[in-house]
Structure formats: C-alpha cells, structure tokens
Amino acid sequence: INAEYMGQHDMLLNGKQVMDNIRATIDRINAKEDAELAQGRSKTQSAANYTIVTIFVGSFIFLAIILFLFYYIQKTFDQQKKIEEEIRVTNIELEKVLAENESKNWLLTGTGLINEKMQGQQSEKELAENVLAEVCHYTNAVTGTFYLYNDAEERLELYASYAFHDLGALKKTIKLKEGWIGQAAENRKEAIVKGRLNDAMSLQSSIISENLVESLIVPFFFDKQLKGVIEIAFSGDLDKNSHDYILAVADDIGIAVNTAQARTIMHDLFEETQQQAEELEAQQEEMRVTNEELMNKTEMLEASEEELRTQQEELRAINAELEEKPMYSALI
C-alpha cells in the first residue's frame, strides 16, 4: 500500500510538475503573444500614424499640385484669352486697314477714271455731260444735275442732267441763295437733302424722284472762285465712299471747268481777233481800191488839167491872133 501510495504520490508530483511546466509554457506563450501583440499594436499605431501623416502630406501635396495646375490652367486660359483678344483686335484692325486700303484704291481708281473723262478739247457742255455721267455711273447714283456759274448774271445755269425722267421739271437757272443748290453755292459748302417727290419740290432741289432719295449737293471752285454746283442723288442713304469720292473729285472738276472756260475764252478771242483781222483786211482792201480809184481820179484830173492847160494855151493863141487882126486891119 505504501509503495502504491508512493507511486501515486510521485505520479501526482510529476503531474503537478508537468502542469506547472505547461502553465509556465502557456504563460511564456501568452507573455510572448502579449509582447508580440503590444509590439504589433505599436507597429500598427506607428503605421497608422505614418499612414495619417502620409495621407496628410500626400493630400497637401495633391492639393498643392491641384492648386498649381489650377493656377497654370487659369494662367494658360487667361493667356489664351489674351492671345485670342489680341488676335481679334488685330483682325479688326487688319479688316479696318484692308477696308481703308480698299476705299483708297476705289477712290484713286475713280479719280483716275474721271480725270481721263475730263481730258481733251471739250466745251463746257461736253465736259459737264461727261463728268456727270462718270460720277453717277461710278457711284451707282440714280440721277444728277450739273450747273455752271455765270458770274456776269450771278446765277447758276443748267449744263447737264443724268437719267432724268422729267427734263421739263428741272430748273434751268438758279440764283444764289435760291433753294438748296443756290444756298450751297452761297455758303460754299456741301449740303445733303433727303426726301421724296413732293419733298424735293418743296425743298427746291433740282432732283425729282418717286422713291426716297438722298442728294449730295457740292459746289466746286477754282482759285476760290465759284465755278458751279453738282448734285448727285442716291436711292436710299448716301454711303461714305461715294461721299468722299464726290468731294475728292470736286476740285478736279473745278480745274477742268476753268480750263474749258479759258479754252472757250481763248477760242472766242481767237475768232474775234480773226474776224477783226478779216475786217481789217477787208478795210485795207477797200482802202486799196479807194486809193486806186483816187489815183485814177488823180491821173484823170492831171490829164484834165493838162488838157485844160492845152486849151488855155490855144485860147491864148487865138486871143493873141484876134488882138493882132484889128491892128492889122487898121494899118490897112
């Protein structure tokens, strides 16, 4: 029994020792697990903190990148808008320059054409008709009139009309200050008249039209002396190019009219001088004939005087003979 008890007691002691060893091992495992768990938690916390910092820093960098990209894109967009605005302004200026050049070329071409029409030996009427037709044709005007100033009569006289449907309605002469044309001549300035048929009549404009027209009345001069007035009528509104063209050629028209008038004066003087020369030549011929007649009469008079002297001498001889005969009879 003792032996069996001792055996059981040893087994119990051994079992207890085994259990203590197991507990110690479990405790070591738990302690190691706790240590590893604490270390893991520490690492996790550190990783979490690092992740938070990384996310924060990354977010900041991402935000900075976004702000930079936004600023860059905005700057690029502003630059693009600025470039587009500069291009738009440049295009506008270019179109303006092109339009100005086109207008200048159109003006120069028109000036050249009308100067060609004014060349040559033309009378005032021929010049007026050619000038008015060219101006109306080049500006697409519907009608027009051309007056020249008669300085001696102090009035404007109609020399030409263009595409006019009622020539009888035109005023053939206009005094200074009479109507729009006379007033423009008196003021020495252009005038623009706009209206319909009855308006044109009441305004005493020379243009008569059934449609709404706008008439440009321009006096022209040479050496500050009034030479005439041209009136051009347009269907609708008068455009700037046509307005500038007519004003530009007005001076050339004044020069051409003065040249034509000077040529007419020279022609009239030449004809007058030629007529005077012919009259003088006729007078000289008449004087020559008269002189010849006088010379003939003088010769006849001299012959008559010679014959008279001969007769007188014969009479003297007869008288002498007669005087001698009584003396001879008395002696006998």
Side-chain angles (χ1 to χ4, degrees):
I1 296 172
N2 289 331
E4 184 180 357
Y5 174 78
M6 289 298 292
Q8 292 178 349
H9 182 266
D10 290 336
M11 288 178 63
L12 181 62
L13 290 176
N14 289 334
K16 183 178 182 301
Q17 185 176 1
V18 170
M19 289 298 295
D20 291 338
N21 291 334
I22 290 172
R23 289 190 185 94
T25 300
I26 292 171
D27 291 337
R28 286 196 302 269
I29 290 172
N30 290 333
K32 186 176 181 180
E33 288 178 352
D34 291 340
E36 289 178 354
L37 182 60
Q39 185 178 3
R41 289 177 179 175
S42 177
K43 289 181 179 181
T44 301
Q45 186 65 37
S46 297
N49 294 335
Y50 178 77
T51 301
I52 293 172
V53 172
T54 301
I55 291 173
F56 178 78
V57 173
S59 300
F60 178 79
I61 294 173
F62 180 73
L63 180 61
I65 293 173
I66 290 176
L67 292 175
F68 174 77
L69 290 176
F70 176 78
Y71 173 77
Y72 177 77
I73 293 172
Q74 184 65 35
K75 183 178 180 181
T76 303
F77 180 73
D78 292 340
Q79 289 178 347
Q80 183 68 24
K81 287 182 63 177
K82 183 178 180 181
I83 292 172
E84 290 177 356
E85 180 64 20
E86 290 175 352
I87 293 174
R88 188 185 69 83
V89 172
T90 302
N91 289 336
I92 292 174
E93 293 178 352
L94 181 59
E95 290 177 358
K96 184 178 179 181
V97 171
L98 291 175
E100 290 177 353
N101 289 336
E102 185 177 355
S103 298
K104 289 179 180 178
N105 291 334
W106 185 84
L107 181 62
L108 291 174
T109 301
T111 303
L113 290 174
I114 197 169
N115 281 319
E116 291 179 1
K117 294 291 184 180
M118 294 188 293
Q119 292 179 357
Q121 304 289 329
Q122 302 183 60
S123 65
E124 291 98 319
K125 185 170 182 58
E126 291 173 337
L127 179 66
E129 290 175 348
N130 290 335
V131 166
L132 184 61
E134 176 61 26
V135 171
C136 290
H137 173 74
Y138 195 71
T139 58
N140 293 322
V142 293
T143 187
T145 54
F146 193 104
Y147 288 83
L148 291 182
Y149 182 62
N150 187 330
D151 188 52
E153 300 292 335
E154 294 185 350
R155 68 185 185 185
L156 294 162
E157 298 175 349
L158 180 66
Y159 268 71
S161 62
Y162 178 82
F164 213 86
H165 69 278
D166 187 5
L167 296 177
L170 286 172
K171 296 181 69 66
K172 302 301 185 291
T173 61
I174 298 176
K175 296 180 180 180
L176 295 180
K177 296 183 181 181
E178 180 183 356
W180 281 99
I181 291 180
Q183 193 62 52
E186 174 69 19
N187 295 343
R188 307 172 73 88
K189 293 181 180 179
E190 63 176 290
I192 297 177
V193 183
K194 189 171 185 178
R196 295 183 183 274
L197 174 62
N198 294 332
D199 295 332
M201 291 292 291
S202 63
L203 293 173
Q204 296 188 23
S205 166
S206 69
I207 301 299
I208 310 297
S209 176
E210 295 179 356
N211 298 321
L212 184 66
V213 296
E214 191 166 75
S215 299
L216 177 62
I217 304 172
V218 179
F220 49 88
F221 308 86
F222 177 79
D223 196 20
K224 297 182 180 181
Q225 294 181 353
L226 178 65
K227 288 297 176 181
V229 176
I230 186 170
E231 180 177 19
I232 309 297
F234 299 87
S235 178
D237 295 331
L238 169 65
D239 62 88
K240 185 178 184 302
N241 286 342
S242 298
H243 177 269
D244 294 343
Y245 163 75
I246 295 173
L247 293 184
V249 300
D251 292 337
D252 296 336
I253 295 173
I255 295 172
V257 167
N258 183 75
T259 302
Q261 290 176 339
R263 188 184 301 113
T264 300
I265 293 173
M266 291 291 292
H267 182 266
D268 293 343
L269 288 176
F270 175 75
E271 288 187 346
E272 183 179 354
T273 304
Q274 188 175 13
Q275 183 179 358
Q276 291 176 352
E278 291 175 355
E279 291 176 355
L280 180 60
E281 185 177 356
Q283 291 175 358
Q284 288 176 347
E285 180 63 22
E286 185 178 351
M287 289 179 65
R288 186 185 65 79
V289 173
T290 303
N291 288 334
E292 289 180 354
E293 291 177 354
L294 287 174
M295 289 179 64
N296 292 332
K297 289 180 180 180
T298 301
E299 291 177 355
M300 291 175 63
L301 182 60
E302 289 178 352
S304 298
E305 288 177 352
E306 182 65 26
E307 183 179 355
L308 182 60
R309 281 194 299 269
T310 301
Q311 292 175 356
Q312 287 177 349
E313 289 178 358
E314 290 178 353
L315 288 174
R316 288 192 194 98
I318 294 172
N319 288 335
E321 289 178 358
L322 291 175
E323 288 177 355
E324 289 177 356
K325 283 182 180 181
M327 289 179 62
Y328 178 75
S329 297
L331 289 175
I332 293 176

